[in-house]
Amino acid sequence: MVHELSHAGMALLFGHKINRLVLLINPFQSDKENRLGYVAHSWQPKNKYQQLGNFFIGLAPIIGITLLTGIITQLLWPQVFHVQTVGWQIFSQVPWWRLVVWLVIVINLNLAMNLSRADWLNVGHGVLYYSLLLLLIGLVVGLFISDPWLIVETAGYWLGLVWLIDMGISLLMLIIAKILD
């Protein structure tokens, strides 16, 4: 459901019309596209902002699940964001049950992070405009921010740590799946 809500939220942010939102399809009934849910949306093809939105709509589950992982980590295990100063004591400073709840939630979220072919197709519709936006942001940052570490010190550390958590759990799940396969 978080996967589909991420798509829907990003579609609304970029002015797309949501034609249909299905959060969950019964997995025991056959769906010709093997979906568990979907968001059908439409946009104006000549609108550059909406075309850029396609890129973010396609990647929305990765963005949404990463942010939700960060929020859940901040609520259940905030010590992990102080790993540089606390070290391995981050495990002893939190009750064991909170670690278990955190792990179950984060693993379940990561299971929904995979993108479908339709998601990647949507990304492809907006990748040109995203590349141009990235170039523009890079130019502005390069001209006006003299210390690039300022970005890393503010939002970069938090996002980087959350991203490492997500990627680590995803890698662990991939290894387990390969072993069981």
Side-chain angles (χ1 to χ4, degrees):
M1 289 186 213
V2 174
H3 182 107
E4 302 309 333
L5 288 171
S6 296
H7 285 309
M10 201 63 79
L12 291 173
L13 183 67
F14 282 92
H16 288 223
K17 180 181 180 220
I18 296 178
N19 301 321
R20 184 140 194 231
L21 171 62
V22 178
L23 293 179
L24 188 62
I25 295 173
N26 185 343
F28 299 107
Q29 292 180 344
S30 64
D31 176 61
K32 58 186 168 199
E33 296 181 33
N34 293 325
R35 303 175 294 189
L36 291 176
Y38 63 91
V39 177
H41 61 99
S42 55
W43 69 96
Q44 300 295 326
K46 293 184 180 180
N47 185 322
K48 305 302 181 209
Y49 179 70
Q50 289 184 350
Q51 283 185 331
L52 168 66
N54 282 324
F55 179 85
F56 290 101
I57 293 166
L59 292 178
I62 293 174
I63 297 166
I65 290 170
T66 298
L67 288 175
L68 191 55
T69 298
I71 292 167
I72 289 168
T73 303
Q74 192 72 48
L75 292 172
L76 292 175
W77 194 15
Q79 296 85 348
V80 81
F81 293 108
H82 304 287
V83 69
Q84 288 179 318
T85 56
V86 179
W88 288 104
Q89 292 177 349
I90 61 171
F91 293 105
S92 62
Q93 292 180 348
V94 64
W96 68 269
W97 64 267
R98 284 173 62 183
L99 286 176
V100 171
V101 170
W102 175 85
L103 190 61
V104 168
I105 292 171
V106 171
I107 286 175
N108 278 289
L109 285 172
N110 275 266
L111 287 171
M113 198 182 283
N114 63 333
L115 300 179
S116 66
R117 283 193 179 122
D119 294 341
W120 284 113
L121 186 62
N122 222 21
V123 169
H125 287 300
V127 74
L128 173 66
Y129 296 101
Y130 174 71
S131 300
L132 293 172
L133 176 68
L134 218 54
L135 179 65
L136 181 66
I137 289 171
L139 289 171
V140 169
V141 167
L143 290 173
F144 295 108
I145 295 181
S146 60
D147 184 12
W149 281 103
L150 180 66
I151 297 169
V152 173
E153 291 170 351
T154 54
Y157 179 73
W158 189 88
L159 286 173
L161 198 54
V162 171
W163 190 258
L164 280 173
I165 290 169
D166 279 338
M167 292 304 106
I169 288 176
S170 296
L171 182 62
L172 182 62
M173 289 188 307
L174 180 66
I175 290 168
I176 291 170
K178 289 292 182 187
I179 291 170
L180 295 175
D181 191 30

